[in-house]
């Protein structure tokens, strides 16, 4: 059950699942259903977001620093990673009602929003924003205010989830560079670039001898865990799993590259044999 029910989180997750299932049903009739792995990845990503925002876990994330870091690991890394990996856009588009798909002025709205989207997805802006948001919300004074303000707390969580989707959508885009996707080399550079800042931040939190985030001392902790132990576990979560996500991302991008190379080689052989 939710710790504090949020209709926005609930409706966002419900709509994401409903549109996807509706799109799957339409594609089933056309025999264009994606693989089981992609379907599971998408649904698991949405369920993970729901689990850390709309269950009792949200209580722990407000009263334990390491639980808060695990929550952001899901919102900013794991869940968006799974959703982007599933490449759900065509299915979600098929799931939209006809009145929305053919809505007048839709093309103009997309054209107006495209410059902002391109800016956020710029190969330099995207990694800076990705790491910058982690640092921003972990500035002790800002973190203190965010954990005590319901509005700031929601803004923090939404910003992490949305930025995570934008970042992983960029680097795990299944489109080849020839079809509009970012070059594979640039994707790997981006993934490598975000590793050192996360390691430095996580190491600083882990090895700090002072309590950096004292808001949990003010509000009390959900479990009787020593403040420095809570902080060290949170630092390790900021450091190791987050960095490993980039390594996994690099392996997947290399898989995309090798798949394209094999496809081009097969096409070349077919052309020569003709």
């Amino acid at each position: 059950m939710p710790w504090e029910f949020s209709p926005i989180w609930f409706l966002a997750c419900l709509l994401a699942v409903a549109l996807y299932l509706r799109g799957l049903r339409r594609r089933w009739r056309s025999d264009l259903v994606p693989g089981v792995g992609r379907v599971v990845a998408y649904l698991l990503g949405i369920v993970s977001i729901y689990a850390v925002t709309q269950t009792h876990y949200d209580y722990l994330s407000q009263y334990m620093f390491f639980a808060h870091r695990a929550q952001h690991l899901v919102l900013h890394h794991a869940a968006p990673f799974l959703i982007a990996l599933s490449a759900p856009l065509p299915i979600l588009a098929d799931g939209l009602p006809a009145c929305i798909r053919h809505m007048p002025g839709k093309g103009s709205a997309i054209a107006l929003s495209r410059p902002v989207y391109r800016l956020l997805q710029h190969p330099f802006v995207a990694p800076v924003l990705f790491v910058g948001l982690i640092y921003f919300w972990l500035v002790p004074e800002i973190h203190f205010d965010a954990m005590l303000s319901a509005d700031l707390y929601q803004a923090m969580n939404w910003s992490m989830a949305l930025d995570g989707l934008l970042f992983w959508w960029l680097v795990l885009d299944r489109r080849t560079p020839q079809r509009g996707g970012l070059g594979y080399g640039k994707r790997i550079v981006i993934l490598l670039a975000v590793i050192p800042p996360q390691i430095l931040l996580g190491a600083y939190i882990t090895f700090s001898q002072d309590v950096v985030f004292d808001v949990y001392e003010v509000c009390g902790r959900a479990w009787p865990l020593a403040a420095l132990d809570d902080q060290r576990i949170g630092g390790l979560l900021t450091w190791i799993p987050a960095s490993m996500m980039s390594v996994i991302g690099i392996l997947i991008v290399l898989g995309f590259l090798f798949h394209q190379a094999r496809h081009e080689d097969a096409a070349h052989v077919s052309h020569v044999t003709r």
Side-chain angles (χ1 to χ4, degrees):
M1 296 295 293
W3 166 241
E4 292 181 9
F5 179 74
S6 169
I8 300 177
W9 281 110
F10 177 80
L11 290 174
C13 292
L14 180 62
L15 185 62
V17 172
L19 286 178
Y20 192 79
L21 294 179
R22 193 167 188 261
L24 277 180
R25 187 181 64 179
R26 287 185 171 180
R27 288 191 159 231
W28 190 277
R29 297 170 183 169
S30 305
D31 207 20
L32 294 172
V33 180
V36 175
R38 287 172 59 181
V39 175
V40 171
Y42 178 82
L43 294 178
L44 184 58
I46 300 299
V47 169
S48 299
I49 290 175
Y50 185 90
V52 298
T53 59
Q54 283 297 281
T55 68
H56 197 70
Y57 183 86
D58 191 45
Y59 166 79
L60 294 177
S61 69
Q62 294 181 41
Y63 289 92
M64 299 294 295
F65 178 70
F66 84 86
H68 162 78
R69 295 311 306 146
Q71 181 190 48
H72 277 196
L73 183 65
V74 171
L75 289 176
H76 200 223
H77 288 72
F81 182 96
L82 290 170
I83 293 170
L85 190 61
S86 71
L89 272 185
I91 300 171
L92 291 172
D94 288 344
L96 289 172
C99 60
I100 296 179
R101 283 187 283 125
H102 305 295
M103 183 174 57
K106 185 182 70 173
S108 300
I110 293 174
L112 288 173
S113 62
R114 188 171 289 122
V116 176
Y117 179 77
R118 285 179 176 173
L119 173 63
L120 295 176
Q121 295 295 74
H122 189 277
F124 177 77
V125 175
V128 171
L129 188 61
F130 184 77
V131 174
L133 271 178
I134 302 174
Y135 273 74
F136 175 79
W137 290 116
L138 286 179
V139 172
E141 295 79 12
I142 295 175
H143 189 76
F144 189 96
D145 292 340
M147 298 307 291
L148 292 181
S149 167
D151 291 338
L152 268 180
Y153 180 77
Q154 292 299 332
M156 173 177 63
N157 286 348
W158 271 106
S159 68
M160 296 299 280
L162 293 175
D163 179 63
L165 283 170
L166 285 170
F167 179 82
W168 293 110
W169 213 287
L170 177 66
V171 297
L172 298 179
D173 189 353
R174 290 180 180 268
R175 294 178 303 167
T176 64
Q178 292 78 9
R179 297 177 56 193
L182 188 66
Y184 297 124
K186 291 181 180 179
R187 301 187 201 195
I188 292 173
V189 169
I190 288 173
L191 288 167
L192 288 172
V194 300
I195 293 177
Q198 294 182 91
I199 291 177
L200 288 174
L201 179 61
Y204 168 74
I205 296 172
T206 301
F207 297 117
S208 177
Q209 298 302 310
D210 300 315
V211 177
V212 180
F213 305 100
D214 54 0
V215 64
Y216 302 93
E217 290 293 297
V218 174
C219 298
R221 285 179 166 78
W223 295 332
L225 184 65
L228 282 178
D229 290 338
D230 183 19
Q231 186 169 286
R232 288 183 183 120
I233 298 171
L236 288 172
L237 288 171
T238 306
W239 173 1
I240 299 174
S243 300
M244 287 303 299
M245 291 293 297
S246 290
V247 175
I248 296 172
I250 290 171
L251 294 176
I252 291 174
V253 171
L254 288 173
F256 290 165
L257 175 61
F258 295 150
H259 176 77
Q260 181 186 352
R262 286 196 301 269
H263 180 76
E264 290 175 351
D265 288 344
H268 177 70
V269 170
S270 176
H271 177 74
V272 170
T273 54
R274 288 178 186 178

